[in-house]
Every structure is written in structure tokens, then in C-alpha cells.
Amino acid sequence: MRKWRSLVAVGATLPVVAFAAACGSDNGNGDAAGEDTGGSLRGNLTGAGATFPNPVFQEWAAEYGSVEPGVRINYQSIGSGGGIEQFIRGTVDFGSSERYLSDEDLDEAATTRGCEGVQFPVIFGSVVIAFNDPALDGMVLTSDAIAKIYDRQITNFNDPELQELNPDMDLPDQPIIPVHRSDGSGTTYVFSHYLSTENDEWADKYGEGTEIQWASGTVGGQGNEGVAAQVQQNRGALGYVNQAYAIETGMATAHVVNEDGEAIAPTLEATTAASELADIPDTFQFDIDNIGGDGYPITGTNWIFVYECGYDDNTAEMLKSFWNWVLTDDAADELALELGYAPMGDSLKERVQAQVERINSQN
């Protein structure tokens, strides 16, 4: 695995991560100095947004460098809220988020750019509940228990409600420190949407969104990296993070009870099972709700945002080339699977490719 792993450990102090598809220094033309660039494209792409897919985005960009070494990709892992804002403002070539663009977002984007925005999913992944204590790995939680922990109704691991859910575990007499995202976050959207769907009290008090007014007694972390670091550094900490960060940092994770009453581990298979239950309209505005069977119930999607106009021809070709490579090359799927993300099925990929072809179509 490449450089992102070392960045996870220091994510609290490095919330923005940039990466390039080509190695070496830029000679000013988008080429890496001293290398046989090959390929047919030359130039730079800039993107910004979700931290959720940052690990796989880095891997994709590095692998794509063997196809188009003259293309450099710089992605700023600043959170979904920032990705939506920068996309609408037109300061990046593409945005990324775990929250799809609402009709209001799309209207604002069209007004700003003078043409329609285009959004499409590229990957699925789980939001996991991670613990500081390895002995808690596999602890069972329900949506109600998670909501009460973040609402500070449950403040200790040996709370009777948690002990009832885990009769075979010797839960510690340890105060719980709930950790949340402090930035505008699609991971927060997925997490809070899940709780709002499953828990009426949470829906009334906190609702859903990329930012939430958290209860006092909770701790914030910048990005998935920052939450992971807070959980690792604080005894009794519990936080919600992208599955990839939990895997790579070796954190213990909870099994979450789904709609059918099954306590499901956040495995790749369980994420895939959940994603296959999603009803995906032509607008690609969807959530993954009420998951039963073998599906993990807190499963989210990453969207990419681009425009139908406003790019120069070279930038448009680079965008199409990169995202079509992601959708069609087996290496892209293999990297996603290795990191704990669930690639899309072939039929959905075909629908998404039609969206990619809309890039700059109105120029």
C-alpha cells in the first residue's frame, strides 16, 4: 500500500492531503521531469471534498499514472462540505462528497456555472463505530444505543443497556468519550442520516446533515484522519470513521444490529449486500436505508461532481479518461476491494459512464 497509510496516523495535524498520478517534479507542462511520460494526455486535475474515499483516491491516482503518466491529480481531503462548496464556486475541476447534491445545490451550481452540474456515485463504503480498547472488538450496538451514547444518555461502557446487548462480554467500568467530525462531513451525513432514519428522538433533536450541533461532552476531530487519531489517543474513546481508516489503523469495531435484528460486522461482503439493496434513480440522489439480511446498516456512497460546460478541452478529456478508467479497469476495483470499499456492479457502472460522457457536453 502507498503513502496514505502513514498519513492516517498524523491526520489530526494534516487534514488536507494532496497526491499525484505521476511521480517526480512537474516541469510546468503537467509532465514529470526526467520520465518517459507516454500516454496521450498532459496536464493537472484538481479535486476536493470527502475524506471518506481519500485512501482509494490516492491509490487510483497512483495506478492511473501508469496509464497516463502526464496527468497529475491533486485531491484535497477537506470534507464533503468543503467539496460541495468548492465545486459550486468553481474552484476545482471536480468535487466529492458522501452527500448527494440536493435540487437546491444543483440550482445554485447551474446559476454559478451557466450549465448543469453532473453527479454520479463511484464507490460504496461502511461507516464503522471504532473503539480505543481492542477488548471491545465485536461489541454489539443498536441504533438506539449509538444515539444514546452521542446524546450522553449512556456515558459508561458498563451501562446496563450495553451489557444486555453484550451478555458474553465483560464490559469495563470506563467512561465513554464519543468522538465526532468537527468539519463539514459526508461521513457525518451518512451517520446522522442512519440515526435519524432509525431513531425518532435523534431525528427530532439532532436531525441529519454534514454538520450537527453535538451534545456537550463529545470531542471533535478533523476529517476521518482526525477522528481516528482521537480514538487512538484517548482511553475510552469511541468514534465513527470510514471502514478503511479503521482497517488500516487496526482499531476494534462494533457489530451493528440491522433492520432484521442481525448484529452485522462491517465487512466488505456486508457493505456490498447493503449497496445492492439500494434503489438508485436516474438522478443518482439516493440513500441506503432500512438494511436487513446480511447487510451492514451504516453504508454510504461517494459521489463525484462535475459540469456540462466550462472546462477547456484538455481538462474535460482528462476528467473523462480518469473516471472512465476508474469505472472500467479491473485494477481500480482490486484497489478498492483491498482497502475495504465495495465497487459498483456492472449495470450501475454503465449508467454512471453515461454521466461521465456529459462532462463539457454543453460547451
Side-chain angles (χ1 to χ4, degrees):
M1 211 53 54
R2 300 180 177 89
K3 60 187 178 182
W4 84 270
R5 293 184 174 186
S6 62
L7 291 168
V8 172
V10 293
T13 56
L14 290 176
V16 176
V17 178
F19 61 92
C23 300
S25 59
D26 194 333
N27 65 11
N29 296 315
D31 297 342
E35 294 185 0
D36 179 10
T37 56
S40 61
L41 298 172
R42 304 285 186 276
N44 303 313
L45 288 177
T46 60
T51 65
F52 181 89
N54 189 44
V56 74
F57 279 12
Q58 290 197 48
E59 297 293 334
W60 282 344
E63 186 69 21
Y64 180 71
S66 66
V67 178
E68 292 288 353
V71 178
R72 295 179 63 85
I73 303 173
N74 183 290
Y75 179 74
Q76 296 180 329
S77 174
I78 60 173
S80 291
I84 292 172
E85 179 183 358
Q86 289 203 27
F87 167 72
I88 291 175
R89 288 169 56 194
T91 58
V92 292
D93 297 318
F94 66 91
S96 167
S97 174
E98 281 86 68
R99 177 178 75 78
Y100 57 78
L101 296 176
S102 66
D103 291 342
E104 291 77 12
D105 294 327
L106 289 169
D107 287 344
E108 184 179 357
T111 299
T112 301
R113 189 80 161 202
C115 65
E116 296 297 321
V118 180
Q119 62 181 329
F120 52 84
V122 290
I123 205 77
F124 298 108
S126 294
V127 176
V128 308
I129 307 300
F131 304 109
N132 169 272
D133 186 354
L136 296 176
D137 191 43
M139 180 179 177
V140 174
L141 293 174
T142 62
S143 57
D144 288 346
I146 296 169
K148 288 178 181 178
I149 288 170
Y150 274 89
D151 192 37
R152 309 307 287 138
Q153 296 180 48
I154 294 177
T155 58
N156 198 296
F157 281 105
N158 69 355
D159 184 279
E161 185 169 337
L162 299 184
Q163 193 64 73
E164 184 177 353
L165 289 170
N166 298 274
D168 298 327
M169 294 186 76
D170 184 17
L171 299 179
D173 183 8
Q174 171 69 47
I176 299 173
I177 302 174
V179 183
H180 60 80
R181 288 285 291 273
S182 59
D183 55 324
S185 159
T187 306
T188 295
Y189 172 79
V190 173
F191 180 70
S192 61
H193 175 82
Y194 162 72
L195 291 179
S196 293
T197 301
E198 298 290 332
N199 185 284
D200 291 339
E201 185 176 351
W202 180 276
D204 292 339
K205 189 171 183 178
Y206 296 99
E208 62 183 51
T210 57
E211 295 182 89
I212 298 294
Q213 294 297 317
W214 300 98
S216 60
T218 60
V219 176
Q222 182 84 8
N224 275 291
E225 304 96 330
V227 173
Q230 289 279 13
V231 171
Q232 289 178 305
Q233 294 165 10
N234 292 285
R235 188 164 177 257
L238 166 158
Y240 60 90
V241 295
N242 172 10
Q243 183 183 22
Y245 287 87
I247 291 172
E248 290 303 317
T249 53
M251 289 188 288
T253 58
H255 294 190
V256 180
V257 177
N258 71 10
E259 195 74 6
D260 289 338
E262 298 294 330
I264 304 295
T267 64
L268 177 61
E269 294 78 12
T271 301
T272 300
S275 68
E276 289 175 346
L277 293 172
D279 182 15
I280 302 177
D282 290 340
T283 63
F284 294 103
Q285 295 168 305
F286 67 95
D287 295 294
I288 302 176
D289 294 332
N290 305 314
I291 299 303
D294 295 325
Y296 180 76
I298 320 178
T299 294
T301 309
N302 179 251
W303 284 265
I304 298 301
F305 312 137
V306 288
Y307 281 105
E308 285 190 329
C309 71
Y311 301 109
D312 61 68
D313 290 344
N314 186 58
T315 299
E317 286 306 310
M318 289 190 294
L319 283 168
K320 290 181 182 181
S321 174
F322 177 65
W323 291 114
N324 274 318
W325 175 85
V326 166
L327 293 167
T328 60
D329 198 293
D330 289 343
D333 280 357
E334 289 168 5
L335 288 169
L337 290 165
E338 185 178 347
L339 286 169
Y341 298 87
M344 298 183 296
D346 289 342
S347 61
L348 180 56
K349 285 181 178 180
E350 290 178 6
R351 293 173 62 190
V352 169
Q353 281 183 274
Q355 294 292 95
V356 172
E357 291 307 309
R358 290 175 59 192
I359 295 172
N360 238 29
S361 61
Q362 299 304 311
N363 247 25

